[in-house]
Amino acid sequence: MAECGRAKQGHSGGVETPTNSPQSGKKKTQQSPGSRSRYQVTAPGHCFRRVTLTKPTYCHNCSDFIWGLIGFLCEVCNLMCHEKCLKTLRTVCSCMAPTLVQVPVAHCFGPAGQKKRFCCICRKHTEGNTALRCEVCELHVHADCAIFSCADCRRCHLDDTQDQDTFHHHWREGNLWSGARCEVCRRSCGSSDVLSGMRCEWCGITSHAACYSSLPPDCHLGRLRQMILPPTALRLSSRNFSKMHCYRITETCSHDMDVLDEVDPSSLVPGRETQPASSPDSGKQLLKVFDGDDAVKRGLFRLVSTPRTTRNQEVVEAALRAFYLPDQPEHYELQELVNQHRLHSDDILNRNGTPDNKSVLKDAPPEAWLLRAKPQDTEVLKIYAGWLKVGVVYVSISISRNSTVDSVLKEVLIQSGRQEEDPSSFSLVEVYMASKQVQRQVLSGQELLQDKLQEIRKVSLRQMNQTRFYVMENRNRVVQVSLLIGGLPPLLTREEYTQLVQEQLAIKNHLVTITHIYGSQGAVVLEISCFSEAERIYMLAKDTVVSNKQLSSLVIPHIMHNKLAKDSAPLLLFVNPKSGGLKGRELLYNFRKLLNPHQVFDMSNGGPLAGLHTFCDVPQFRVLVCGGDGTVGWVLGVLEAIRHKLACPEPPIGIVPLGTGNDLARVLRWGAGYSGEDPHHVLLSLEEAEEVQMDRWTILLDAQEVSEDGLLNGRDNGFLEPPKIVQMNNYFGLGIDAELSLDFHQARQDEPDKFTSRFHNKGVYVKVGLQKLSHTRNLHNDLHLQVDKHDIELPHIEGLIFLNIPSWGSGADLWGSEGDSRYGKPRIDDGMLEVVGVTGVVHMGQVQSGLRSGIRIAQGNYIRITVSKPIPVQVDGEPWIQAPGHIIISAAGPKVRMLRKSKQRQKKQSAGRSESPASTDGGH
């Protein structure tokens, strides 16, 4: 509702406390326009009328079927309920949503998913490409309803003005899974037919709208509390940054919300059905109504359908309902948009006639009208206490035309029991709780408040409905904004990085400090003590190119590790949205809702370094990587490079397989590929997983051309020069195996849009394999192999493969399961590599089919290979052409800790499990 009202006789200011639960029936509730309705309810804002049902309908309050032909429909938010439910209704109307906001937090809108959802504003289905969803919470809206939603998203961190140890449930109505049970009465509270039921977006408990107010307010994060990063342990100074920047959500996700500025005005119609143009015989007319100068400028209006003969007050009531404004119609008037002709309460609108007071209008009424608030001598303004850590308290102050900010501050302190404090130590802050961004403005002491209110209403009545005024204490707060700047040249000295950043970003030394340098990754962390300077550097870095490489810039939160529970192990989660087709993006969305979005990192936006740096001071944490074997290797490589800077240098790592082969995930029992498993079950499996050790190997590549006389020549050989040192986790191949990988890699680079599914990828592998059937390569003549300093004679083979794990080529057992006294049984932590040969494409196909195994050649922990000709090679699926020279493979430091799925959990999932809350896009 609007955070002010009109003055009434006998009113006296007092402290009031709105809660997240509806107010009791003893208190007079505020009704929406159209309060002439005789159906009064305790839930604020609704305007019910009795309707005749013509199709099967469900009650939004109890989610039961409405038997009979009579139902009760709210004309504002479309809530439908039984007559008996009118007495127990606790769900407030959409027009009252701003009154329930505890802490204003903006939403991060992105395109909606494919599942059936209901709009949280108009309560109807979200269908088609115009639907939006918040990337952080369970808010689903139509594109034209989004502007009427307020900033009531989850609070995922503390800013520089907050400090608290506990926090409350964050309730969201509707879109529950059909099997949800009420935490209070244990009856079913979910529905797939209507928007009903309540759910805490942190702990996941569900309840009826009539029951949730009886639950304790404190939230304990539910089943996943040990892996959730609690908001009370995170601090982020984010005043000048949008939530998209704070959560590192790619800018493309906000495109659909941005186009609202150019949305077709005719789409802003209350209700989803297309309203046909009125005909002379229909008895109805459609009026274009604007709510302020901003709407006129943008051409955004609401179509209001009214009878052809109706009084102005009834039209005003309809217009207020269309804009979700809960105020009384007598305080508003309609103005003709062209010449500002005003309609008085005695006027009757009639398209084909004249008002019955005989004042002559035009032959046809104007097509566009402007809804304006009438000037008032006095009105009541709600001032909220900004010093509270938990809860919301406001003071109602009566203001006149001469009321200034200073006089209101004095009155607020008196009514709050703080009259002994100096009013100059406080400020009055205007907070606009828009759905996409929360805007704050400090008001000057001599500013006239009524003039300010009239200015806001003139711009937009909707904006007035979403505006609050807070009293804040004046404090000298320390500003600390951390930015991770990536894309710099690697392996420079601290002085060189400092000079480079100063030259490219023109930083101010007295405001900016370089706190961390990651030379191997070409990145630095800047600590900035000024909001405007942080914003300037953030935007400038995104437009800066250094050494033909685009810089990246990410906002990094600060984890207060001393506020973490002793037994907690927060989860650091990486998702590669480019893996697994659209499944990567859906997993990214689901995990942001199940966890704190600050602990979920998009690999396409900054890579693994941003997440590992964020968790650098956390004493104990786990890692979950959602991607293919290449993504897992990427994370392991960065972890190896910066582990000496982490408080937990060896975090255990789990996998959600999104790639094509997923050999490492198969060995660790995470499956051959992600097939839509419930994300909530994935997290529970990770919590129950067992730790195992795994070897990692370093491959030293001495890529120099060998001439016919055996001497090393220069590097002008025309071959692709690979990195000198690479890390290997799964396997290393030379010859026909790597040649197939190279052909596949080149095909994917040529047409990346076609490689979005494992089925298609494997089909391409088969195709390139068939093309190599007639190919022959005498690899044994081109290589010289040493294992543990012993020369190994190679058989006639076309491919040589070094295995670290017992899975190759999408799950094939290349080494074989037969016992052999010459070799030990392969394990991922035995410190040994298995050397295997294949004779060609046919042999590889037989291995894939389980008909044969490879040719066992050797087993050892130190490998030396001499290459006399250019040859295709591949490491964990990443191929290139290796120039002649030497290749040395040896153990790479300490073993890494991996998480292997427990057999018990694996059996439960293979037997099939019932749907849980998370299977409908999130739940605990």
Side-chain angles (χ1 to χ4, degrees):
M1 62 169 288
E3 299 304 333
C4 63
R6 310 304 181 180
K8 300 179 181 180
Q9 292 294 331
H11 173 82
S12 60
V15 179
E16 302 172 75
T17 308
T19 64
N20 237 1
S21 305
Q23 302 173 5
S24 64
K26 296 180 181 180
K27 195 172 181 179
K28 182 180 178 182
T29 58
Q30 181 168 358
Q31 295 295 322
S32 277
S35 57
R36 64 190 186 283
S37 170
R38 60 180 179 273
Y39 304 109
Q40 302 294 327
V41 294
T42 55
H46 292 293
C47 175
F48 282 104
R49 63 182 174 90
R50 184 173 175 173
V51 295
T52 301
L53 304 178
T54 59
K55 59 183 179 180
T57 307
Y58 291 85
C59 177
H60 292 201
N61 184 55
C62 64
S63 71
D64 291 338
F65 184 77
I66 300 179
W67 297 96
L69 300 177
I70 302 301
F72 291 83
L73 176 69
C74 175
E75 294 181 311
V76 181
C77 67
N78 299 309
L79 185 143
M80 176 75 73
C81 69
H82 296 99
E83 183 175 10
K84 65 179 182 180
C85 289
L86 289 175
K87 300 178 182 179
T88 59
L89 185 63
R90 294 293 182 270
T91 302
V92 301
C93 186
S94 299
C95 64
M96 302 294 291
T99 65
L100 303 182
V101 174
Q102 296 284 317
V103 177
V105 179
H107 293 284
C108 300
F109 285 110
Q114 301 297 322
K115 293 187 178 181
K116 177 182 177 182
R117 289 292 179 266
F118 294 93
C119 176
C120 293
I121 303 300
C122 70
R123 311 183 73 91
K124 296 188 178 182
H125 287 294
T126 57
E127 299 172 351
N129 297 327
T130 60
L132 302 174
R133 68 182 180 188
C134 178
E135 297 285 329
V136 176
C137 71
E138 194 65 40
L139 182 77
H140 296 262
V141 292
H142 297 100
D144 55 315
C145 290
I147 59 175
F148 298 105
S149 60
C150 58
D152 61 349
C153 192
R154 288 193 298 165
R155 181 177 54 158
C156 299
H157 61 264
L158 305 177
D159 61 23
D160 56 323
T161 65
Q162 300 165 328
D163 185 17
Q164 65 185 74
D165 298 321
T166 61
F167 66 103
H168 291 172
H169 293 294
H170 188 273
W171 296 103
R172 179 73 61 193
E173 183 186 10
N175 292 311
L176 309 183
W177 63 296
S178 57
R181 293 280 175 179
C182 178
E183 190 74 12
V184 178
C185 67
R186 305 311 302 171
R187 294 177 55 220
S188 174
C189 62
S191 174
S192 58
D193 300 296
V194 292
L195 188 76
S196 66
M198 307 294 291
R199 174 180 171 271
C200 174
E201 295 183 309
W202 282 109
C203 65
I205 63 173
T206 54
S207 175
H208 291 104
C211 297
Y212 81 105
S213 59
S214 61
L215 291 169
D218 291 343
C219 180
H220 301 289
L221 300 179
R223 178 71 174 82
L224 303 176
R225 57 184 170 272
Q226 290 190 342
M227 63 175 60
I228 291 180
L229 199 57
T232 53
L234 270 168
R235 188 172 296 281
L236 179 61
S237 299
S238 57
R239 189 180 66 182
N240 286 29
F241 296 99
S242 71
K243 285 296 177 288
M244 288 284 185
H245 296 157
C246 295
Y247 300 138
R248 304 164 306 280
I249 298 176
T250 53
E251 299 297 330
T252 54
C253 292
S254 62
H255 172 72
D256 286 335
M257 188 61 185
D258 291 335
V259 299
L260 282 178
D261 293 342
E262 290 116 19
V263 70
D264 182 7
S266 61
S267 67
L268 297 184
V269 181
R272 308 263 61 81
E273 295 82 5
T274 302
Q275 300 189 21
S278 58
S279 63
D281 299 329
S282 66
K284 295 282 186 178
Q285 60 183 345
L286 291 180
L287 303 177
K288 294 181 181 179
V289 180
F290 299 84
D291 75 323
D293 294 344
D294 183 66
V296 174
K297 179 180 179 181
R298 295 171 180 265
L300 302 180
F301 57 84
R302 302 284 279 180
L303 289 179
V304 178
S305 176
T306 63
R308 290 188 174 276
T309 302
T310 183
R311 292 190 177 276
N312 176 54
Q313 182 171 341
E314 295 176 359
V315 181
V316 172
E317 290 174 357
L320 291 175
R321 290 195 295 267
F323 284 100
Y324 296 94
L325 300 176
D327 298 328
Q328 297 302 318
E330 57 266 22
H331 300 310
Y332 293 86
E333 62 184 2
L334 282 172
Q335 299 178 0
E336 184 181 349
L337 193 57
V338 179
N339 56 12
Q340 301 295 303
H341 172 79
R342 301 188 181 189
L343 284 176
H344 302 286
S345 59
D346 292 334
D347 292 343
I348 294 179
L349 284 177
N350 189 328
R351 181 175 288 274
N352 298 316
T354 61
D356 60 356
N357 63 0
K358 298 183 181 180
S359 61
V360 179
L361 292 177
K362 298 179 180 179
D363 294 337
E367 296 184 357
W369 296 88
L370 191 59
L371 185 63
R372 289 290 197 195
K374 296 178 181 179
Q376 301 291 323
D377 294 332
T378 61
E379 50 187 311
V380 177
L381 182 65
K382 294 178 181 177
I383 308 295
Y384 288 76
W387 53 76
L388 295 179
K389 294 184 177 180
V390 178
V392 178
V393 171
Y394 63 80
V395 175
S396 296
I397 302 294
S398 179
I399 62 173
S400 64
R401 295 186 179 275
N402 298 324
S403 298
T404 63
V405 170
D406 288 340
S407 64
V408 168
L409 285 176
K410 293 178 182 178
E411 183 67 21
V412 170
L413 293 178
I414 293 174
Q415 294 194 25
S416 302
R418 306 182 67 168
Q419 59 271 17
E420 297 180 357
E421 300 190 39
D422 184 7
S424 62
S425 301
F426 296 84
S427 298
L428 190 63
V429 181
E430 173 196 344
V431 179
Y432 175 32
M433 304 183 297
S435 59
K436 192 179 177 183
Q437 187 172 8
V438 177
Q439 301 176 11
R440 295 175 172 85
Q441 179 184 0
V442 179
L443 304 182
S444 61
Q446 297 304 314
E447 190 167 356
L448 296 176
L449 271 180
Q450 259 208 343
D451 291 348
K452 182 65 177 179
L453 297 181
Q454 291 176 4
E455 177 185 340
I456 298 174
R457 292 190 183 108
K458 185 177 180 181
V459 172
S460 171
L461 295 176
R462 171 181 52 83
Q463 178 177 336
M464 185 69 245
N465 190 43
Q466 297 175 348
T467 298
R468 276 184 181 174
F469 293 90
Y470 282 86
V471 174
M472 307 290 292
E473 296 182 76
N474 297 329
R475 294 179 180 176
N476 293 325
R477 299 179 177 92
V478 178
V479 177
Q480 288 185 342
V481 181
S482 294
L483 295 182
L484 176 65
I485 308 298
L488 298 170
L491 304 178
L492 301 181
T493 64
R494 186 180 187 89
E495 291 73 18
E496 289 173 328
Y497 277 122
T498 301
Q499 182 179 359
L500 184 62
V501 170
Q502 288 177 341
E503 291 176 354
Q504 298 294 331
L505 304 180
I507 64 174
K508 301 176 182 178
N509 293 330
H510 65 288
L511 299 176
V512 182
T513 305
I514 298 180
T515 58
H516 295 76
I517 293 179
Y518 297 100
S520 61
Q521 308 300 311
V524 297
V525 177
L526 306 181
E527 193 79 22
I528 307 169
S529 59
C530 174
F531 280 122
S532 58
E533 178 69 3
E535 185 180 26
R536 184 191 67 81
I537 294 176
Y538 179 86
M539 302 306 296
L540 179 60
K542 288 182 172 294
D543 296 330
T544 302
V545 177
V546 177
S547 300
N548 297 323
K549 189 174 182 181
Q550 181 75 45
L551 296 187
S552 63
S553 179
L554 296 175
V555 182
I556 302 297
H558 172 59
I559 299 179
M560 297 176 286
H561 58 89
N562 57 325
K563 290 194 174 184
L564 296 173
K566 293 182 180 180
D567 60 341
S568 70
L571 181 64
L572 172 57
L573 201 145
F574 295 108
V575 181
N576 187 349
K578 298 180 180 179
S579 299
L582 296 177
K583 293 178 181 178
R585 188 188 179 280
E586 280 301 306
L587 275 177
L588 191 64
Y589 167 71
N590 282 310
F591 283 131
R592 280 195 185 117
K593 291 194 311 176
L594 288 168
L595 304 170
N596 190 319
H598 285 299
Q599 62 189 113
V600 181
F601 288 80
D602 183 347
M603 295 280 285
S604 64
N605 188 16
L609 179 61
L612 292 172
H613 170 74
T614 302
F615 277 65
C616 65
D617 294 328
V618 179
Q620 182 181 359
F621 65 93
R622 290 185 168 193
V623 178
L624 179 62
V625 181
C626 305
D629 290 339
T631 304
V632 178
W634 187 10
V635 174
L636 289 174
V638 176
L639 177 62
E640 177 69 25
I642 70 168
R643 68 167 65 247
H644 61 284
K645 297 185 178 182
L646 302 179
C648 178
E650 298 179 2
I653 300 174
I655 304 172
V656 175
L658 296 181
T660 303
N662 302 312
D663 289 292
L664 182 56
R666 294 170 191 264
V667 171
L668 297 175
R669 302 184 189 140
W670 294 106
Y674 178 73
S675 56
E677 184 183 353
D678 182 355
H680 185 257
H681 289 166
V682 172
L683 296 179
L684 294 180
S685 299
L686 190 77
E687 192 174 44
E688 300 172 5
E690 57 187 5
E691 287 190 21
V692 295
Q693 301 282 331
M694 187 183 77
D695 300 322
R696 293 190 77 227
W697 302 86
T698 297
I699 303 178
L700 176 63
L701 300 160
D702 182 15
Q704 298 185 32
E705 185 180 3
V706 179
S707 63
E708 294 181 357
D709 57 3
L711 298 177
L712 296 178
N713 292 336
R715 297 186 180 182
D716 298 330
N717 46 50
F719 299 118
L720 177 64
E721 190 74 22
K724 285 296 182 182
I725 299 177
V726 296
Q727 304 294 327
M728 187 259 284
N729 304 306
N730 299 352
Y731 37 73
F732 171 52
L734 302 91
I736 187 63
D737 164 57
E739 193 169 348
L740 296 183
S741 295
L742 184 61
D743 290 346
F744 173 84
H745 181 70
Q746 291 175 343
R748 182 165 57 181
Q749 283 188 328
D750 293 338
E751 298 177 299
D753 295 338
K754 292 185 177 181
F755 291 77
T756 57
S757 69
R758 287 191 294 272
F759 181 79
H760 177 270
N761 294 354
K762 291 181 179 180
V764 175
Y765 262 116
V766 172
K767 179 181 178 181
V768 297
L770 293 175
Q771 295 173 348
K772 301 293 182 181
L773 280 176
S774 59
H775 175 82
T776 58
R777 178 192 289 271
N778 296 321
L779 194 64
H780 59 284
N781 295 328
D782 302 333
L783 299 178
H784 178 259
L785 175 65
Q786 278 189 347
V787 178
D788 293 340
K789 298 185 179 180
H790 296 288
D791 292 339
I792 303 298
E793 184 178 354
L794 295 176
H796 292 271
I797 57 175
E798 291 188 24
L800 186 64
I801 302 164
F802 302 85
L803 300 172
N804 183 45
I805 61 174
S807 179
W808 167 85
S810 301
D813 186 3
L814 187 60
W815 180 261
S817 57
E818 301 84 2
D820 192 331
S821 59
R822 297 176 300 169
Y823 309 109
K825 185 179 179 179
R827 297 198 321 271
I828 64 174
D829 61 345
D830 58 1
M832 304 287 281
L833 286 176
E834 286 69 49
V835 186
V836 189
V838 292
T839 58
V841 174
V842 175
H843 188 184
M844 292 172 61
Q846 293 172 332
V847 172
Q848 294 279 358
S849 304
L851 301 176
R852 290 180 61 183
S853 58
I855 302 174
R856 298 180 180 178
I857 296 176
Q859 195 177 43
N861 59 17
Y862 183 81
I863 312 293
R864 184 181 180 90
I865 308 166
T866 302
V867 181
S868 58
K869 292 183 178 180
I871 187 173
V873 300
Q874 62 99 357
V875 176
D876 295 340
E878 298 298 325
W880 68 88
I881 298 294
Q882 176 63 31
H886 301 291
I887 302 174
I888 298 175
I889 308 176
S890 59
K895 303 178 189 295
V896 294
R897 299 162 65 192
M898 304 298 294
L899 292 172
R900 183 167 60 191
K901 197 174 192 178
S902 66
K903 289 186 177 180
Q904 185 178 6
R905 170 66 66 172
Q906 196 175 28
K907 290 179 181 178
K908 286 182 180 179
Q909 291 178 351
S910 62
R913 298 190 60 179
S914 61
E915 188 184 25
S916 82
S919 61
T920 60
D921 281 359
H924 293 241

